[in-house]
Amino acid sequence: MEFRQFQELMEETYGEQDRERGVATSVAWLAEEVGELAQAIRKGTHEQRIHEFGDVLAWTASLANQVGVDLEDAIQRYVDNPP
């Protein structure tokens, strides 16, 4: 699945409730998921890492949708001119 397809799936599945939740709350959820990912990397199983990477990607896509950012555009920066 391409990033754009994933972002569209997230919009179709969760877009309305994500917008009701709002950006600030979604940022908080993303931060929590990043913390859970860090813990899974340090002490978790491979399956837990997969789960947490998925959660981080899902919340990232949700936030991108809420603020009008196409993740393909964001990724392109690393293709064209890596920092």
Side-chain angles (χ1 to χ4, degrees):
M1 176 177 277
E2 301 286 328
F3 272 97
R4 182 167 285 126
Q5 293 171 311
F6 180 66
Q7 191 170 351
E8 290 169 357
L9 174 67
M10 292 301 297
E11 175 61 30
E12 292 167 9
T13 306
Y14 301 105
E16 185 176 333
Q17 75 185 69
D18 287 345
R19 281 185 295 282
E20 288 175 10
R21 180 182 301 109
V23 171
T25 302
S26 294
V27 168
W29 276 101
L30 175 59
E32 181 177 324
E33 293 300 341
V34 169
E36 291 175 7
L37 174 60
Q39 185 174 2
I41 288 170
R42 285 192 315 270
K43 300 178 181 179
T45 65
H46 184 72
E47 290 74 23
Q48 289 168 325
R49 292 176 188 135
I50 290 170
H51 177 94
E52 296 306 336
F53 269 109
D55 287 350
V56 167
L57 289 171
W59 282 105
T60 299
S62 169
L63 278 167
N65 286 336
Q66 289 180 61
V67 299
V69 171
D70 184 329
L71 289 177
E72 294 281 340
D73 292 340
I75 292 165
Q76 194 62 42
R77 172 178 163 234
Y78 282 83
V79 173
D80 295 340
N81 188 20

